[in-house]
Amino acid sequence: MNTLTESPKLLILVGSPRRDGNSAALAAAVQRGAEEGGTQVQLRFVDDYISSFLRDCRTCRLPSGECSINDSFRSLFIDGFLPAQAVIFCSPIYWYGLSGQMKS
């Protein structure tokens, strides 16, 4: 990365379906601070990209090798996650663990 021409890229993933909840508020605060520091930020709600939980890829993968779950996770992964230099996960804690959306 040429620091003179390109700012760092940050992906913030929100694992809660509540757009006005605590996880979303945390994500918005992180976004504001990162942008003030000159970082390019993408804030994404995981619910917008996954439609169901993962299954056993050995049983449901398409003959082409592609995932058979018809959702937007691939675009989130390729266009958001891979180019990011850092990822922040904002999730509610349920029974001492991340939300199901975030685990997927």
Side-chain angles (χ1 to χ4, degrees), residues 12-100:
I12 302 172
L13 294 174
V14 181
S16 173
R18 294 178 54 221
R19 304 268 173 168
D20 60 350
N22 293 332
S23 297
L26 172 63
V30 170
Q31 180 179 18
R32 281 191 306 274
E35 288 175 342
E36 287 173 9
T39 300
Q40 294 178 28
V41 178
Q42 289 184 339
L43 188 143
R44 301 290 183 254
F45 285 82
V46 177
D47 268 358
D48 292 343
Y49 294 90
I50 62 169
S51 60
S52 66
F53 295 111
L54 299 176
R55 300 181 289 268
D56 183 353
C57 295
R58 297 171 293 180
T59 61
C60 70
R61 182 179 294 137
L62 298 174
S64 66
E66 295 290 320
C67 181
S68 66
I69 300 173
N70 189 18
D71 61 14
S72 300
F73 176 76
R74 181 181 173 97
S75 69
L76 175 63
F77 183 70
I78 292 175
D79 300 332
F81 189 83
L82 290 180
Q85 293 169 307
V87 179
I88 294 179
F89 301 92
C90 298
S91 176
I93 302 297
Y94 300 120
W95 294 97
Y96 309 104
L98 297 172
S99 67

